[in-house]
């Protein structure tokens, strides 16, 4: 049984058919990437998994449990955390307060404190800025905070949407190193990323989305070597 399994997912924005019968699997312990152009349906897929959008058909199974009719809060409690596109930190709250918000489903204060210490170990810059307002952080630091906040719920699966968007090349490399660290900590990752080259380099498996449907899938290494993928998504 896959950790996450989507079957025949169809999502609409009014009359617009955004996802057209997509099916995909994420195995436990993997990094799986969704790549594709803007508007292909990548963010919509993550928002549907996390309960922010609803599919008209099919099933979304996580650890054998059907999610299609669960609330977004219930889905977090089941072990899926969503780090959204655009970071969306709470600008007027401190770094520490933002991290505490990520633990809203948890009650044991000692365990929450241990998780926060672990995040500070992996993101030392957040520890240096723990009392700083999140809105005053750089783009890269805000991305670290968004990822750290998502990890505060101790998810089994992290949905990570465009973590490198808008960042300088040197920071992009740092963020991808952190994604690998998160994976090494034992968290399964479903990654949406426009930087297809970097995404495929750290992934086990990948899906190519094209106008709402999956046009290609396979082991990430094979897709990175595919002439079609190289020409369209990797700049030749």
């Amino acid at each position: 049984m896959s950790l996450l399994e989507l079957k025949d997912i169809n999502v609409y924005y009014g009359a617009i058919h955004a996802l057209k019968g997509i099916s995909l699997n994420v195995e436990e312990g993997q990094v799986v990437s969704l790549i594709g152009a803007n508007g292909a349906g990548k963010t919509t897929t993550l928002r549907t998994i996390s309960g922010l959008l609803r599919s008209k058909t099919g099933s979304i199974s996580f650890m054998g449990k059907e999610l299609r009719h669960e609330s977004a809060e219930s889905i977090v409690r089941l072990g899926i955390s969503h780090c959204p596109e655009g970071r969306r930190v709470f600008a007027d709250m401190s770094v520490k307060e933002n991290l505490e918000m990520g633990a809203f489903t948890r009650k044991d204060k000692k365990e929450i404190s241990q998780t926060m210490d672990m995040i500070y170990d992996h993101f030392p810059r957040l520890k240096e800025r723990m009392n700083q307002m999140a809105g005053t952080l750089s783009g890269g630091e805000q991305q670290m905070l968004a990822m750290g906040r998502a990890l505060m719920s101790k998810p089994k699966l992290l949905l990570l949407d465009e973590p490198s968007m808008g960042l300088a090349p040197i920071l992009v490399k740092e963020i991808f190193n952190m994604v690998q660290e998160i994976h090494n900590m034992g968290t399964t990752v479903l990654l949406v990323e426009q930087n297809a080259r970097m995404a495929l380099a750290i992934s086990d498996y990948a899906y190519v989305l094209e106008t709402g449907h999956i046009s290609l899938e396979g082991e990430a290494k094979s897709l990175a070597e595919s002439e079609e993928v190289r020409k369209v998504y990797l700049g030749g």
Side-chain angles (χ1 to χ4, degrees):
M1 182 177 68
S2 299
L3 182 68
L4 177 74
E5 190 171 354
L6 275 63
K7 285 184 180 174
D8 190 31
I9 296 301
N10 283 274
V11 175
Y12 294 79
Y13 292 107
I16 298 167
H17 195 175
L19 294 182
K20 302 168 183 173
I22 72 165
S23 299
L24 62 83
N25 289 2
V26 177
E27 304 299 333
E28 189 167 3
Q30 285 188 329
V31 176
V32 175
S33 283
L34 300 179
I35 63 173
N38 270 338
K42 305 184 302 295
T43 291
T44 299
T45 301
L46 296 194
R47 288 173 61 81
T48 304
I49 294 165
S50 61
L52 300 171
L53 294 170
R54 298 293 177 191
S55 175
K56 296 277 188 189
T57 62
S59 68
I60 302 171
S61 172
F62 178 65
M63 299 176 65
K65 182 174 176 61
E66 176 59 47
L67 300 185
R68 260 188 69 217
H69 304 294
E70 294 288 335
S71 69
E73 181 182 340
S74 297
I75 289 168
V76 175
R77 291 183 187 279
L78 288 167
I80 297 178
S81 192
H82 189 165
C83 183
E85 179 184 10
R87 308 189 253 287
R88 300 190 191 175
V89 298
F90 300 107
D92 297 328
M93 295 171 68
S94 71
V95 166
K96 185 171 184 286
E97 288 167 336
N98 266 267
L99 292 175
E100 287 169 345
M101 290 293 284
F104 77 98
T105 59
R106 301 172 63 191
K107 296 288 184 274
D108 189 313
K109 288 184 178 179
K110 184 180 177 184
E111 285 189 2
I112 291 170
S113 178
Q114 288 171 343
T115 304
M116 192 171 292
D117 287 344
M118 178 269 292
I119 286 166
Y120 285 148
D121 285 344
H122 286 279
F123 300 92
R125 218 171 307 172
L126 296 183
K127 187 171 186 178
E128 292 168 14
R129 290 159 172 68
M130 69 167 76
N131 296 314
Q132 192 171 321
M133 293 299 106
T136 67
L137 300 176
S138 71
E141 290 162 351
Q142 287 190 13
Q143 184 60 55
M144 292 174 202
L145 178 55
M147 290 162 70
R149 183 180 61 192
L151 291 171
M152 283 297 294
S153 64
K154 293 192 77 176
K156 296 179 181 69
L157 173 64
L158 176 64
L159 309 178
L160 194 49
D161 197 353
E162 299 284 10
S164 78
M165 182 182 280
L167 299 183
I170 192 165
L171 282 175
V172 170
K173 189 173 182 185
E174 190 174 346
I175 290 297
F176 274 96
N177 286 340
M178 288 173 180
V179 176
Q180 285 188 293
E181 263 194 61
I182 288 166
H183 176 237
N184 292 341
M185 286 157 50
T187 306
T188 304
V189 179
L190 179 57
L191 171 67
V192 158
E193 180 53 61
Q194 274 197 293
N195 188 330
R197 189 181 303 279
M198 294 285 277
L200 292 174
I202 67 164
S203 297
D204 300 291
Y205 201 85
Y207 295 86
V208 178
L209 261 68
E210 200 173 302
T211 57
H213 69 274
I214 291 168
S215 59
L216 282 171
E217 66 172 277
E219 290 186 2
K221 187 178 178 186
S222 299
L223 285 185
E225 292 168 354
S226 151
E227 190 173 333
E228 183 180 348
V229 172
R230 287 170 71 89
K231 190 161 69 175
V232 178
Y233 300 104
L234 305 181

